[in-house]
Amino acid sequence: MKTDENLRMRQANFRQTNAYAMQHGIMLGLWAIGCQACYVAGLSQPLFSNLWLLMLIGIPVLVCVLTLRLRRIAGEDIPFSFSRGFVHSFLTMLYTAVWAAVATFVYMQFFDKGYVFDCYVAALSKPEMMKMMEQTGMAQTIKDSTNGHDIIDVINELRNFGAANFSALIIYFYMLSSPFISILSGLVSMRRVRVAGMK
């Protein structure tokens, strides 16, 4: 009987965790889209490049804050396990990845028109940049690994990569980083409630 009650409690906790992860995924997704917009703008405006870096660093912080918010909603008088914090953070990151990937697809498919790659070509074609790559051996390394192509050739090849592939890279990035962020969030949000009368 107690096992059934524990199972129902776990299922209820998961439903609540998943429901809030979906909501928080939308909020964090909007943040991620803003982060990506700053990245694109930062290719030509250094100020936005700095803002992009700050927003990128802010993603793990926001995940922890949102998980702490769930802990407060769940109740101050009940324990909040590491696993619940981990699951909430992990699901939030996955929902965020979907929104970020959709935004990437829409931008690359309909709005970019080669702008991102033009910015990269312009930056890497500068004489000082080409000289630096030659001096560090990076230019030769790129040629050796791409059958004689230079960095400009590689960037031009990426123009044909396709919006769907860039969206998949965004999802892949979030899937790789989400376990580490979720571990941090789970540790930060973990709470054990002391039983009255016990020290």
Side-chain angles (χ1 to χ4, degrees), residues 25-164:
I26 294 172
M27 296 165 60
L28 196 61
L30 293 173
W31 179 275
I33 291 169
C35 183
Q36 292 172 192
C38 287
Y39 175 80
V40 173
L43 295 173
S44 56
Q45 301 290 332
L47 178 63
F48 284 101
S49 182
N50 295 331
L51 183 57
W52 164 75
L53 186 59
L54 287 173
M55 291 184 75
L56 187 65
I57 294 171
I59 289 177
V61 176
L62 282 174
V63 171
C64 290
V65 168
L66 292 171
T67 304
L68 288 170
R69 181 181 293 180
L70 172 64
R71 187 182 79 170
R72 189 170 62 250
I73 291 168
E76 297 295 335
D77 57 340
I78 63 172
F80 195 89
S81 66
F82 166 81
S83 61
R84 189 171 183 188
F86 179 93
V87 168
H88 170 265
S89 302
F90 189 79
L91 291 175
T92 298
M93 289 291 288
L94 291 187
Y95 291 128
T96 301
V98 172
W99 289 106
V102 168
T104 300
F105 179 83
V106 170
Y107 173 76
M108 295 302 291
Q109 184 72 22
F110 302 108
F111 297 102
D112 183 70
K113 308 298 183 188
Y115 170 77
V116 169
F117 304 109
D118 290 341
C119 289
Y120 278 126
V121 168
L124 294 171
S125 296
K126 293 178 179 178
E128 61 271 21
M129 182 62 71
M130 296 180 73
K131 183 178 179 182
M132 184 273 292
M133 292 181 69
E134 289 289 343
Q135 289 175 342
T136 59
M138 189 182 299
Q140 188 59 46
T141 301
I142 292 171
K143 285 183 180 179
D144 292 342
S145 59
T146 59
N147 295 323
H149 294 101
D150 61 19
I151 186 66
I152 304 301
D153 294 331
V154 172
I155 292 172
N156 287 327
E157 284 294 322
L158 287 174
R159 293 177 190 272
N160 303 317
F161 198 52

